[in-house]
Structure formats: structure tokens, C-alpha cells
Amino acid sequence: MKVAILHPDDLSILILSKGLINDLLHDKLCKLVTISGGDSYIDKIEELGVCHLPVKMSRYINPKGDLQYMFSL
């Protein structure tokens, strides 16, 4: 099973999804990746043992930006 955890910034991944990440990493059948628009805490996310992909995203509704985000995913 492949799981992607998306948050607008990488700090949210650490605060809100750290427990979920730890649980999913114990499942050997699960391939986990995190995706966020930030870059300040990427090294701390990768220290958890998960692959992280930085993808530029906006926190606000922007049709052009949302379309670019969709294609970058």
C-alpha cells in the first residue's frame, strides 16, 4: 500500500502527523511519502525515516496556482 501525507508546510507534518507516520512506518507493507511546500523542517521529517517531497503549494485559493500544484503532484 502506498500512502502520501500532504500538508501545506513541513512543520504541520511534524506536529499533526508524527504519530501517524510512526504507526505507518511499523507496517512493512506500507510505502510512505510526505509532501509539503515548506523547507525548514525537511531534515527532521527525514530523520523519522520517511521520504519527503517538496512541492510548492499555496495556502490560499488561486485557480492558476492550484492547477500548477495539481500537475506537480
Side-chain angles (χ1 to χ4, degrees):
M1 172 174 46
K2 296 179 182 179
V3 178
I5 297 175
L6 287 92
H7 281 279
D9 58 73
D10 46 355
L11 182 58
S12 295
I13 292 173
L14 287 174
I15 293 172
L16 301 174
S17 299
K18 189 175 181 178
L20 176 63
I21 290 170
N22 288 329
D23 290 343
L24 290 173
L25 287 176
H26 289 299
D27 183 4
K28 302 299 182 197
L29 300 175
C30 180
K31 180 174 171 67
L32 178 64
V33 65
T34 58
I35 302 170
S36 73
D39 61 356
S40 301
Y41 297 93
I42 290 176
D43 54 343
K44 293 187 188 262
I45 293 170
E46 290 176 342
E47 286 175 8
L48 296 174
V50 65
C51 178
H52 181 78
L53 301 173
V55 175
K56 184 179 177 185
M57 64 180 76
S58 174
R59 296 182 79 131
Y60 305 102
I61 296 173
N62 176 354
K64 181 182 175 187
D66 292 343
L67 190 61
Q68 289 173 338
Y69 173 65
M70 182 183 73
F71 283 113
S72 64
L73 286 176

